[in-house]
Amino acid sequence: MTESATPTLEVHDLHVEVNDKEILKGIDLVVSKGEVHAIMGPNGSGKTTLASALLGHPRYRVTQGEIRYRGENIADWTPDARARAGLFLSFQYPAAVPGVTLVNFLRHALNQRRGQDVPVREYTQLLNDAMAKLKVDREFARRYVNDGFSGGEKKRAEILQMAVLKPEIAILDETDSGLDVDALRIVAEGVNRLLGPDLGVVLITHYNRILNYITPNRVHILYAGRIVTSGGRELADEVEAKGYDPFIPVGAPA
Amino acid sequence: MTTEARDIVSEYKWGFHDAEEPVFRSRRGLSHEIVDQISRIKGEPDWMRELRHRALDIFYTKSMPSWGGDLSEIRFDEYFYYVRATDRDARSWEDVPEYVKRTFDRIGIPEAEKKFLAGVGAQYDSEVVYHNIREDLEKQGVVFLGTDQGLKEHPEIFRQYFGTVVPPADNKFAALNSAVWSGGSFIYVPPGVKVDIPLQAYFRINSEAMGQFERTLIIADEGSYVHYVEGCTAPIYSEDSLHSAVVEIIVKRGARVRYTTIQNWSNNVYNLVTKRAVAYADAVMEWVDGNLGSKLTMKYPSVYLMEPGAHGEILSLAFAGPGQHQDAGGKVVHAASNTTSMIVSKSVSKGGGRTSYRGLVKVYPECGDATSSVRCDALMIDEDSRSDTYPTMEIDADRVTIAHEATVGKLGEEQLFYLMSRGLPEQEAAKMIVNGFVEPIVKELPMEYAVELNRLIELQMEGSVG
Ligand SMILES: Nc1ncnc2c1ncn2[C@@H]1O[C@H](COP(=O)(O)OP(=O)(O)O)[C@@H](O)[C@H]1O
Ligand SMILES: [Mg+2]
């Protein structure tokens, strides 16, 4: 765990609106490199909203609070500026971009991330290594981005991009959902390989499953736009055993 | 100049013109006298001169199309119908007048010929100034000439086919072209000969208020193959120009013709073109039609499937920027049983540009067992742009399989966010989405043209979002 004075990602009292409706109602979250924070919560609790707001999706309006990245307030940064600085989002529902091959797109993305053109040979090697580790064949990169991908392929493609782009903070939005046991293991192992002192992870999940593979330092329960409880790994087991009900504050809206 | 006009000028790098005086220019406007003059200068046989006069009469009697784009500002009396820059059609670039060569050098034609073409034709205003074909092809009997020279050297083939696919009476602009046609390409490919790399013709309008009326005739004899590519540009002037070509293609039994257009007219050109092919038994006709630039384009390449086994394909791409209307699409007529066709149209509009897809699939009675698929997708980059779809199906036979799919959409917010969330700036992300959108058509092009087309689209996309 890093000893540096400023954590990489600091979210303070974050309020976010979508279509003039407040979805996040004051989120606090501090993630340092080397840490894994799991965020669990029932459907509709605001997990994807949080992920989208962190990357600066234009439809998710921050109305209060702040997002600090490496100490800087990034509220005004466009999504691409955040990505170049080292934020990464593995989408719950990645958009298809027909006609654009994964290999071409990812090369552009890597050039942006590095701030310079990466030699083709180096890129090819990087990509091939990452694909081999995720057990996808080489043809995969020739396919159009997420176009006609199965659920499992989409999640692998997300982690593949993460492996190539080497972010400092990765937000994984339900990377486990829709995967069968084998695919889940491959994807989780893929994430595990990337973990280390240079990466902080926000692992958003609906179920406990992925936490059998990836061990979080902290677990937060998100409910109706607020983090209602935080704790260690054992919190996830509690959710598994009892569901979310025990964590819902008395008198909270359903 | 308004800011907008300046932007367009700076984006359009072919907007330069050459100030040299042509060796001959007919006076403004159109008359039987001018038709006579054109025919006389060319030293044509009587039958062609008579055909021209008949066509002019037809032109006078035909009304303007009431559909398509806005033609109300066309002033037929204002154009120069015939402008001849030089007296010869050269076979070597050395013999092309210096100033004309400079233009084609800037466009990169001689370079392209060296690198990847089997033959090149270059038309400057009304006349073909250069044409050449690889010697081995010529030895095999492949003919690739300027159309005027084709008429001189191959009168018998010419007379047999000229005006049979697109008769003068077909429409007002076909009549106009038939009356004042000049230049274009004449191609004959003998039976069984396969021209493995493309033949290209390049059409350049240089003069202001110019009417360019090239006429192309391609005959692919039985079992042959040829890929013909045309490119077009023009300078930017305040007065409009008119480009009204006619292209006729005969694809005989078992032959295959691919005709690719990468058109990039400046914004002051009316582009009203009739392109049609007839395909006989087991023949394949493919149109790959890339429409960028112009003020208004109305163009619907057609294929008439005349005998069983014939297959027709039209891949149409249109990009309309500010002040532009691309009314494009394609027509397929199934005039025999057991014929197949496919139309794919992709259009992009931005900055107030307008695209229309206009298509026809017709299956005649008794022409069953026909299969056709039509797919048209329109992408609008911003709120100001417009796209319409006018698909027509006339199916008068049994056992016909028709698939039709159409989508109209805005540049996707989620796609844009996805690409940006990986570090791509908004413009680059938008370009990538648009290039992906047109990819099904671009991937059909030879590599050099695909690169060029992607680049043209990227130029058009500059400054379009954000
Ligand atoms: N783009 C959107 N438009 C409208 N409502 C949205 C949008 N995104 C999220 N919401 C609403 O915000 C709430 C939280 O959604 P979301 O963040 O997707 O939850 P989760 O990811 O936890 O399932 C839901 O009520 C959802 O309907
Ligand atoms: Mg979600």
Side-chain angles (χ1 to χ4, degrees), chain B residues 271-289:
Chain B
N271 184 47
L272 310 166
V273 169
T274 307
K275 289 182 160 164
R276 191 174 302 159
V278 288
Y280 293 94
D282 303 320
V284 175
M285 175 65 212
E286 299 157 315
W287 295 102
V288 182
D289 202 34

Side-chain angles (χ1 to χ4, degrees), chain A residues 43-44 46-49 92-93 173-174 204:
Chain A
N43 268 333
K47 302 184 297 293
T48 296
T49 302
Q92 183 177 7
Y93 303 112
D173 191 1
E174 302 214 17
I204 292 173

Side-chain angles (χ1 to χ4, degrees), chain B residues 2 41 74 80 95 99 110 128 200 204 249 283 305-306 312 358-359 375 389 421 424 427 433:
Chain B
T2 64
I41 290 171
I74 292 189
F80 296 101
D95 297 335
Y99 73 95
V128 175
Q200 182 181 310
R204 172 75 180 173
I249 301 180
L305 303 165
M306 308 300 289
R358 198 177 298 277
R375 169 168 198 110
T389 308
S421 82
L424 271 60
Q427 275 227 352
I433 293 166

